[in-house]
Amino acid sequence: MRLAVNFPAEDILLITASPVIKAVTNFKQVSKVLEEFDVEEQPSTVLENRFPNIKVIESAVKQLKSEEHCIFMEDGHRHVYKKLCLCAGAKPKLICEGNPYVLGIRDTDSAQEFQKQLKKAKRIMIVGNGGIALELVYEIQGCEVIWAIKDKAIGNTFFDAGAAEFLTSKLMSEKSEAKIAHRRTIYTIEGARKESGSKARADNVGSALGPDWHGGLDLKGPEEFSHSIHIETRCEVKKIYLQEEFKITKKKPLAFPKHQDKSVTVDKEMWPVYVELTNGTIYGCDFLVSATGVTPNVHPFLHGNNFDLAEDGGLKVDDQMRTSLPDVYAAGDICTACWQPSPVWQQMRLWTQARQMGWYAAKCMAAASLGHSIDMDFSFELFAHVTKFFNYKVVLLGKYNAQGLGSDHELMLRCTRGQEYVKVVMQNGRMMGAVLIGETDLEETFENLILNQMDLSSYGEDLLDPNIDIEDYFD
């Protein structure tokens, strides 16, 4: 969109394997750096009607020939470019490829397939400890859930053990029936495919799900109870057996643990699939959800191109979002930021950063086309992310988990069970990061304190005293 506005006389091609595009709606600048927005799926015609110089091409990329400034498509067409930005996102890291009982959730197609399978499932296993796993575990009702995580506590990517404990108590309490109204509208893939008369290939990765992706789904199993969750910590999947394979092993699966009953019993029921964990336990289930993170979706572009790749597999980009190849830029999950970052910023493959990177990459492409140079965008000064977990507002700022600070830091905490959890990370009297769970109203104040690196030593523990209006201090 930014390119279309800057260059109204140029043709802008948006190439996508999906029949729908993701649009940012209800955008709200919460503070200087924090942003809130919804992500909606829309037919590509919405974008084309709004910007006459944008043409959306629905086809997968077959090959990039960067030396010729040319892209070859699966549908046989080729497109020549002046400048190219790769925004192909990431692919889910599936525990096991090609197993019909292992589902990955990444895009709308996979989310809808999951909803269909869940309707008839009595028990499922979720493997993973990131955002999708957290949301799934909380939203699923009427189905037993075994949650296998490799860490000591839930949500390790986002939380320390204290915040995890605060959220676990909410998870294990009975969930209220009142559903929060979701503003998102879902533009279904099926409708778009019928419209366009084409069917995307099954192995094409759709664009990533937006925040609150589960809002349009009915995540309910066949049973009448609400939550029934058992968490297996510090373990990974060792082996997955189909029913017939498992019978031959003569191994004993465990029944679903009832937390009031400490006795361990053997499961007599027959399940379609059995999962053996590295801690020695085995559970039968209807299917398994692999929510173990993503890897940058670089594969379609590597053949014949000498891209510099980062250790995490992403395309290396500099502070102008340029890859190592001329006129090829990258943004979002596919790329890895390889500039010297601000002391309170880090890359995480989240929707907020994907939006910021895309916006900034367009700015850089426009500047380069006009022969201008631009400064690094302000959004990369401070890591700032707002989301919702277990129906709590969650704000993450700066080095919220003391990432890279070594042992030379201290934590300050304030917690009201069932209401709020506040943690700040301090180093040499300066605030370096914060986690805010609940309606704390502290995000703007803390954002400013992290950005201006004011010496807060003299305030001591008053900084988190609930009886002191901290905002008045620093107005």
Side-chain angles (χ1 to χ4, degrees):
M1 280 169 57
R2 186 171 179 83
L3 286 173
V5 172
N6 283 1
F7 298 97
E10 296 273 9
D11 289 333
I12 315 288
L13 299 185
L14 175 60
I15 295 169
T16 171
S18 168
V20 291
I21 56 166
K22 295 277 171 141
V24 168
T25 60
N26 301 319
F27 182 84
K28 181 183 166 195
Q29 195 74 42
V30 179
S31 61
K32 206 182 294 182
V33 185
L34 267 177
E35 302 169 349
E36 268 188 313
F37 54 85
D38 296 340
V39 179
E40 283 182 6
E41 289 184 331
Q42 295 178 349
S44 54
T45 48
V46 172
L47 191 61
E48 290 176 325
N49 292 340
R50 195 169 157 203
F51 300 98
N53 58 330
I54 292 183
K55 183 170 169 44
V56 179
I57 294 160
E58 189 195 326
S59 174
V61 172
K62 187 176 183 183
Q63 193 186 358
L64 163 64
K65 292 197 174 179
S66 58
E67 287 182 6
E68 298 171 30
H69 278 51
C70 189
I71 282 190
F72 290 83
M73 313 306 297
E74 290 282 6
D75 64 10
H77 289 89
R78 63 190 279 275
H79 301 286
V80 176
Y81 62 85
K82 287 182 189 173
K83 295 207 179 294
L84 171 70
C85 189
L86 300 175
C87 305
K91 295 197 300 188
K93 280 188 225 162
L94 274 188
I95 297 164
C96 174
E97 296 284 350
N99 188 319
Y101 297 103
V102 177
L103 297 183
I105 298 184
R106 166 67 187 171
D107 51 18
T108 315
D109 271 4
S110 54
Q112 287 174 344
E113 176 61 24
F114 168 71
Q115 176 184 310
K116 200 167 77 184
Q117 300 283 357
L118 184 63
K119 282 192 187 311
K120 48 185 192 280
K122 290 192 289 184
R123 183 192 299 164
I124 68 167
M125 180 180 283
I126 295 172
V127 182
N129 203 10
I132 282 183
L134 282 164
E135 290 177 335
L136 270 185
V137 167
Y138 183 67
E139 290 294 329
I140 290 170
Q141 299 181 52
C143 176
E144 292 176 346
V145 176
I146 295 158
W147 187 10
I149 62 175
K150 65 180 184 200
D151 312 295
K152 284 190 282 189
I154 67 167
N156 199 48
T157 317
F158 302 101
F159 308 120
D160 60 8
E165 173 59 32
F166 174 85
L167 286 170
T168 304
S169 62
K170 170 82 173 240
L171 181 64
M172 293 309 184
S173 64
E174 199 61 20
K175 196 173 149 198
S176 74
E177 288 303 305
K179 278 292 234 178
I180 303 301
H182 289 281
R183 289 176 297 179
R184 287 165 188 69
T185 54
I186 302 291
Y187 181 85
T188 63
I189 294 274
E190 287 74 15
R193 281 186 180 147
K194 280 175 197 156
E195 241 175 67
S196 62
S198 68
K199 187 152 177 69
R201 283 176 12 185
D203 59 349
N204 284 336
V205 179
S207 51
L209 294 158
D212 282 2
W213 56 272
H214 47 74
L217 300 176
D218 176 21
L219 299 185
K220 189 147 181 15
E223 304 299 328
E224 284 308 307
F225 55 80
S226 174
H227 269 137
S228 186
I229 298 155
H230 172 70
I231 305 173
E232 289 280 346
T233 60
R234 301 197 214 188
C235 65
E236 294 180 66
V237 171
K238 184 178 177 183
K239 193 162 172 52
I240 298 170
Y241 302 90
L242 298 179
Q243 191 183 92
E244 291 307 311
E245 287 178 285
F246 189 71
K247 281 180 187 170
I248 298 163
T249 68
K250 304 281 193 235
K251 292 183 176 181
K252 303 291 183 196
L254 295 183
F256 188 84
K258 304 294 180 196
H259 290 281
Q260 64 276 19
D261 178 12
K262 298 296 177 193
S263 62
V264 177
T265 54
V266 174
D267 195 350
K268 298 281 193 255
E269 191 161 345
M270 293 305 297
W271 297 93
V273 65
Y274 289 84
V275 186
E276 184 175 1
L277 301 172
T278 49
N279 62 9
T281 56
I282 300 171
Y283 292 102
C285 54
D286 287 297
F287 65 90
L288 179 149
V289 178
S290 178
T292 46
V294 295
T295 52
N297 186 30
V298 297
H299 181 70
F301 312 104
L302 297 184
H303 180 66
N305 300 298
N306 193 23
F307 279 110
D308 285 349
L309 296 181
E311 279 181 26
D312 64 6
L315 301 175
K316 282 187 174 183
V317 291
D318 64 12
D319 60 2
Q320 301 288 297
M321 305 308 290
R322 294 173 298 210
T323 68
S324 56
L325 300 184
D327 297 319
V328 181
Y329 295 70
D333 288 4
I334 193 173
C335 76
T336 303
C338 288
W339 62 81
Q340 184 60 46
S342 144
V344 285
W345 186 86
Q346 63 269 333
Q347 183 180 1
M348 285 183 76
R349 288 179 163 87
L350 300 164
W351 254 102
T352 41
Q353 280 192 356
R355 197 204 74 82
Q356 287 163 350
M357 283 183 169
W359 190 89
Y360 177 57
K363 205 169 149 186
C364 293
M365 291 165 79
S369 298
L370 300 168
H372 299 161
S373 64
I374 56 170
D375 293 330
M376 186 57 136
D377 194 81
F378 185 76
S379 58
F380 300 104
E381 280 296 305
L382 170 70
F383 175 83
H385 183 61
V386 59
T387 186
K388 248 191 164 69
F389 287 126
F390 302 180
N391 218 22
Y392 285 112
K393 178 181 176 180
V394 176
V395 176
L396 307 172
L397 296 171
K399 301 291 184 180
Y400 62 89
N401 257 352
Q403 296 96 323
L405 298 184
S407 55
D408 176 29
H409 70 272
E410 58 181 18
L411 305 178
M412 293 168 67
L413 295 173
R414 177 174 107 200
C415 180
T416 309
R417 195 174 179 85
Q419 191 177 327
E420 63 167 23
Y421 179 91
V422 178
K423 177 187 83 171
V424 295
V425 180
M426 305 293 293
Q427 189 174 51
N428 301 324
R430 286 163 175 80
M431 193 181 291
M432 298 299 288
V435 174
L436 308 172
I437 305 177
E439 297 296 333
T440 65
D441 291 329
L442 291 170
E443 52 266 33
E444 200 162 358
T445 305
F446 283 8
E447 180 188 277
N448 288 330
L449 290 176
I450 297 169
L451 281 168
N452 65 30
Q453 287 294 284
M454 177 181 174
D455 189 345
L456 303 168
S457 309
S458 58
Y459 297 97
E461 302 212 345
D462 285 353
L463 205 57
L464 293 188
D465 187 334
N467 301 311
I468 295 172
D469 194 345
I470 189 79
E471 290 133 289
D472 291 348
Y473 259 104
F474 302 108
D475 252 1

